[in-house]
């Protein structure tokens, strides 16, 4: 009887080990497929664009000939665009998250708002482009300008920042909150001096990842009238502008093969910026986790 039990246990263990190996193989296969396509993407972009990537390319603007074209105007336009996006989206997003988590009454209406903010984070970017076109371009009469593009992109990533900030605020131990209030601190003092510093790593990480999404978006900028070719840098918030994704899109649409190589060089710059921003997010998270 004892031998039969041992044999049954052994068979069950063998079955579990086999299932574990099968699942591990499936997970490895899924990871490998993603990595293979990522490597192919990098290889394709590098082989196409590395020949055009030089100092002249980085410091030149649009030109009628591929060998003279550069991404300087688009790069500066993207930086100015991200400055506007960061200012508006971070302030409004973090403030909204603080209100929803710390001040709003916990009822069905508040939960309804939270659910819809989460849903907005998954809305296609072109919908935000249409929203920006309606409000910022036409109703507020900003026209096809830098401020209209920046506010539209701020709307795009605002739900992402709100959700990330909410999660960061929830991750702060309730003991810290109660201890601060128990020591006589007001609610705002507790938020400003205890909760926000502890939640800062998550907020910064979510913000940088959201900004890295915004810097690579093309559809909303096309809708709100970003110029495909502009030869001067924006000198005010109401000036015409362009951005790196718009310039790359314009180059890829041209029939001559050389323009595809110019676009490849632009994609390399854009990927480098995206990797840099995501690396900064990882470093910030790791640094603050070590402190905590």
């Amino acid at each position: 009887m004892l031998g039969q039990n041992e044999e049954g246990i052994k068979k069950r263990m063998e079955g579990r080990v086999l299932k574990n190996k099968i699942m591990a193989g499936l997970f490895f296969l899924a990871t490998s497929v993603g990595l293979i396509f990522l490597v192919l993407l990098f290889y394709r972009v590098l082989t196409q664009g590395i020949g055009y990537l030089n100092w002249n390319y980085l410091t030149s603007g649009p030109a009628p000939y591929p060998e003279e074209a550069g991404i300087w105007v688009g790069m500066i336009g993207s930086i100015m665009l991200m400055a506007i996006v960061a200012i508006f989206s971070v302030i409004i997003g973090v403030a909204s998250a603080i209100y929803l988590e710390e001040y709003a009454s916990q009822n069905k209406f508040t939960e309804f708002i939270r659910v819809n903010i989460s849903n907005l984070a998954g809305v296609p970017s072109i919908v935000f482009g249409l929203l920006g076109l309606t409000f910022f371009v036409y109703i507020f009469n900003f026209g096809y300008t830098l401020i209209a593009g920046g506010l539209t992109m701020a709307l795009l990533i605002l739900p992402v920042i709100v959700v990330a900030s909410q999660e960061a605020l929830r991750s702060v131990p309730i003991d810290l909150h109660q201890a601060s209030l128990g020591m006589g601190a007001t609610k705002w003092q507790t938020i400003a001096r205890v909760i926000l510093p502890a939640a800062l790593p998550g907020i910064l990480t979510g913000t940088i990842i959201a900004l890295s999404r915004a810097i690579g978006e093309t559809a909303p900028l096309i809708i709100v009238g970003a110029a495909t070719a502009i030869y001067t840098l924006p000198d005010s918030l109401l000036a015409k502008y362009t951005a790196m994704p718009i310039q790359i899109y314009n180059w890829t649409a041209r029939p001559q093969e050389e323009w595809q190589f110019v676009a490849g060089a632009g994609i390399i710059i854009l990927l480098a910026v995206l990797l840099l921003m995501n690396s900064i997010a990882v470093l910030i998270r790791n640094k603050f986790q070590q402190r905590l």
Side-chain angles (χ1 to χ4, degrees):
M1 191 72 176
L2 184 60
Q4 291 179 349
N5 289 336
E6 290 180 352
E7 185 176 350
I9 293 172
K10 185 178 180 181
K11 287 183 178 180
R12 287 196 295 271
M13 288 299 296
E14 290 176 350
R16 292 174 182 175
V17 171
L18 179 61
K19 288 179 181 178
N20 180 67
K21 289 181 178 180
I22 292 173
M23 295 307 297
L26 290 175
F27 294 146
F28 176 77
L29 180 62
T31 305
S32 300
V33 170
L35 288 175
I36 288 170
F37 281 102
L38 183 62
V39 170
L40 290 175
L41 171 65
F42 276 114
Y43 175 77
R44 175 70 172 173
V45 170
L46 286 173
T47 53
Q48 276 196 335
I50 198 68
Y52 278 81
L53 190 60
N54 51 48
W55 183 251
N56 184 63
Y57 180 82
L58 295 174
T59 56
S60 300
Y65 304 106
E67 60 273 9
E68 298 176 2
I71 203 166
W72 173 250
V73 177
M75 191 161 52
I76 298 301
S78 290
I79 292 172
M80 297 177 71
L81 202 63
M82 287 305 104
I84 297 172
V85 171
I87 291 171
F88 283 96
S89 62
V90 172
I91 293 174
I92 297 174
V94 175
S96 300
I98 291 173
Y99 176 77
L100 290 172
E101 291 300 316
E102 301 296 333
Y103 289 101
S105 301
Q106 302 304 312
N107 51 38
K108 290 184 178 180
F109 181 69
T110 305
E111 186 61 28
F112 174 78
I113 293 174
R114 288 198 182 103
V115 169
N116 280 277
I117 289 175
S118 300
N119 290 337
L120 283 173
V123 170
S125 60
I126 195 168
V127 176
F128 288 98
L130 294 171
L131 185 65
L133 180 69
T134 303
F135 281 93
F136 302 129
V137 175
Y138 293 141
I139 294 179
F140 294 129
N141 202 28
F142 288 143
Y144 300 114
T145 58
L146 182 64
I147 186 67
L151 292 175
T152 301
M153 300 305 286
L155 282 181
L156 172 66
I157 67 170
L158 186 59
V160 179
I161 293 179
V162 173
V163 171
S165 300
Q166 283 183 286
E167 293 298 328
L169 292 170
R170 288 176 196 157
S171 68
V172 178
I174 191 63
D175 296 343
L176 294 177
H177 190 281
Q178 293 175 344
S180 177
L181 294 175
M183 293 294 291
T186 63
K187 193 173 188 66
W188 170 243
Q189 286 175 329
T190 300
I191 293 171
R193 300 180 183 179
V194 177
I195 297 176
L196 273 180
L200 191 60
I203 293 173
L204 288 176
T205 301
T207 299
I208 294 173
I209 292 174
L211 288 172
S212 68
R213 176 194 175 186
I215 200 173
E217 285 287 353
T218 308
L221 295 180
I222 293 175
I223 296 295
V224 295
T228 55
I230 189 170
Y231 299 91
T232 57
L233 297 176
D235 55 1
S236 71
L237 294 178
L238 297 177
K240 298 290 184 180
Y241 70 101
T242 189
M244 285 191 287
I246 296 295
Q247 279 199 294
I248 293 169
Y249 172 77
N250 181 42
W251 288 331
T252 56
R254 299 187 181 185
Q256 295 86 354
E257 187 180 10
E258 291 80 5
W259 288 110
Q260 311 305 313
F261 301 147
V262 176
I267 293 171
I268 293 173
I269 300 296
L270 188 57
L271 284 175
V273 173
L274 290 172
L275 290 173
L276 178 62
M277 294 177 72
N278 283 279
S279 299
I280 291 172
V282 172
L283 289 174
I284 290 173
R285 183 185 62 198
N286 293 340
K287 181 179 180 179
F288 279 94
Q289 280 180 345
Q290 290 174 359
R291 285 187 181 182
L292 297 173

